[in-house]
Amino acid sequence: MDLQAFLIRQPADYPDTQALGRCLRALAEAGLDQLPLPGSGRTLERFQRLAEVGGHDLGLCKLYEGHTDALAIMAQLDASPLPGSTWGMWASEPPNARVRVSQQGPRVTLDGRKAWCSGAKVLSHALLTAWDEQDRQQLVAVVLDQPGVSVTDQGWQAVGMAATGSVDVLFDSAQAQVIGLPGEYLQRPGFWQGGIGIAACWYGAARRLAKRLRTHCAQHEEPHALAHLGAVDRALHAAAQVLRASAESIDGSPQDNAQLLARRARAVVEQAAEQVILHVGHALGAGPYCRDRQFARLMADLPVFLRQSHAERDLAALGKQVINGIWTL
């Protein structure tokens, strides 16, 4: 069974984190989590699969993207996950929630708090960033079903993306496995390549909203709605072209630093998704917000997911990177 056929058979609504966890496990058991690695020559296919899940359900996509990202990272850093395991990729580093590593060697002990841990209650394992005794960032793999790991109900009051359960997790002498060298998580080419995968998720969700408007326009002769559909098409066309070009660039130079590529791609797709939200909402009015549960949920979820971008802070970083560059055609 391919991914699209699998998703068609799934229920139209995932009411909670447990439902998302069951679906993610089913995806893994069916081998549908085995995406082409970034830079493998099939990066566009990876982006397409992420977009498919994003258009199906953004809560599921959040867990699926984290799981498949963790698998890709472990492949890049010569680690092997257990068959049938489901993974989170938890790399947020707010100043009030840091995990510390003690002991040296491949087996280490974790202590501290990790924030924004999506799917923590339903995953079997997680990759997370922690800090060693020399204050270097170290990636570690941890089994979540152990006495030293406490999944809290803290840190998550969301309405949009509520089912992902992105709570705080506490570590108290939890056992973990070192993955890669200190600093290698950020230094590897796959870090920025993976950031474009997030944009593919945004694109998939925006495309799903756009289809709702296209269906409406096919059934109703409304000039203003058609104008909004034209604006949506313009935005999605640009985003798709950028994602395709990004995949081609990654496959052509898989070891290159993709930071500039990723910042540009994410900026374009983020703006496109925001334009889709605006135009679809203006065209369709209050009706689907109030009477179409899937539509209303996607309209609530997508703005939250988009905030994995840091908005103007990311644009400022992009501006700094191109300040001495040139634009060519």
Side-chain angles (χ1 to χ4, degrees):
M1 183 185 302
D2 65 18
L3 180 59
Q4 188 173 26
F6 176 93
L7 294 174
I8 289 172
R9 295 187 178 188
Q10 299 309 303
D13 195 11
Y14 297 90
D16 53 30
T17 314
Q18 295 297 326
L20 293 181
R22 286 192 295 270
C23 190
L24 181 64
R25 287 193 295 274
L27 282 163
E29 290 167 0
L32 296 173
D33 60 341
Q34 300 301 306
L35 302 183
L37 295 176
S40 64
R42 297 165 58 201
T43 301
L44 180 58
E45 183 181 337
R46 181 181 183 88
F47 292 169
Q48 289 169 336
R49 300 294 83 78
L50 290 170
E52 283 183 34
V53 181
H56 171 71
D57 183 88
L58 271 183
L60 178 63
C61 188
K62 175 65 176 175
L63 300 194
Y64 183 78
E65 188 281 328
H67 171 74
T68 54
D69 188 38
L71 298 185
I73 292 166
M74 285 186 281
Q76 293 160 355
L77 298 181
D78 298 320
S80 300
L82 291 172
S85 53
T86 54
W87 290 77
M89 179 60 239
W90 303 335
S92 179
E93 291 287 355
N96 62 340
R98 273 196 167 191
V99 176
R100 288 287 176 181
V101 172
S102 57
Q103 302 178 11
Q104 297 298 319
R107 300 295 300 180
V108 294
T109 300
L110 305 181
D111 290 281
R113 176 184 293 265
K114 196 70 175 171
W116 307 103
C117 299
S118 296
K121 292 184 178 180
V122 297
L123 301 173
S124 64
H125 295 71
L127 286 184
L128 59 105
T129 52
W131 297 84
D132 68 12
E133 294 167 347
Q134 300 177 53
D135 210 30
R136 300 175 300 180
Q137 191 182 70
Q138 173 67 61
L139 192 67
V140 297
V142 60
V143 177
L144 297 177
D145 183 17
Q146 60 169 296
V149 179
S150 299
V151 179
T152 76
D153 291 319
Q154 301 167 8
W156 192 241
Q157 300 296 327
V159 175
M161 301 294 288
T164 62
S166 300
V167 295
D168 291 4
V169 176
L170 305 179
F171 297 93
D172 183 7
S173 299
Q175 300 301 301
Q177 176 77 34
V178 165
I179 303 294
L181 300 173
E184 196 170 12
Y185 165 67
L186 293 177
Q187 293 165 3
R188 64 195 170 82
F191 176 76
W192 287 105
Q193 295 167 358
I196 304 176
I198 295 286
C201 300
W202 300 340
Y203 173 82
R207 183 176 61 187
R208 174 68 178 272
L209 288 173
K211 289 179 179 177
R212 182 70 168 77
L213 175 56
R214 188 171 63 187
T215 298
H216 174 85
C217 288
Q219 298 170 349
H220 303 85
E221 187 64 32
E222 296 177 9
H224 290 134
L226 285 171
H228 285 299
L229 180 61
V232 162
D233 178 73
R234 175 184 62 195
L236 288 180
H237 177 72
Q241 291 292 89
V242 165
L243 288 170
R244 291 189 197 105
S246 297
E248 183 178 356
S249 178
I250 290 169
D251 287 335
S253 304
Q255 296 304 313
D256 283 3
N257 186 325
Q259 181 178 1
L260 178 58
L261 183 72
R263 289 196 183 281
R264 284 172 165 167
R266 287 167 63 98
V268 169
V269 179
E270 178 185 1
Q271 184 181 51
E274 290 178 335
Q275 287 295 301
V276 169
I277 292 170
L278 175 69
H279 286 287
V280 170
H282 282 202
L284 298 182
Y289 283 94
C290 303
R291 296 183 175 180
D292 184 332
R293 179 176 173 82
Q294 284 184 286
F295 177 92
R297 181 169 173 175
L298 184 52
M299 276 292 202
D301 287 350
L302 183 52
V304 177
F305 204 166
L306 283 172
R307 294 282 55 82
Q308 283 195 252
S309 156
H310 297 104
E312 285 74 19
R313 286 172 55 193
D314 283 355
L315 288 177
L318 174 58
K320 185 175 183 180
Q321 202 166 353
V322 304
I323 197 167
N324 294 316
I326 57 174
W327 295 289
T328 59
L329 182 61

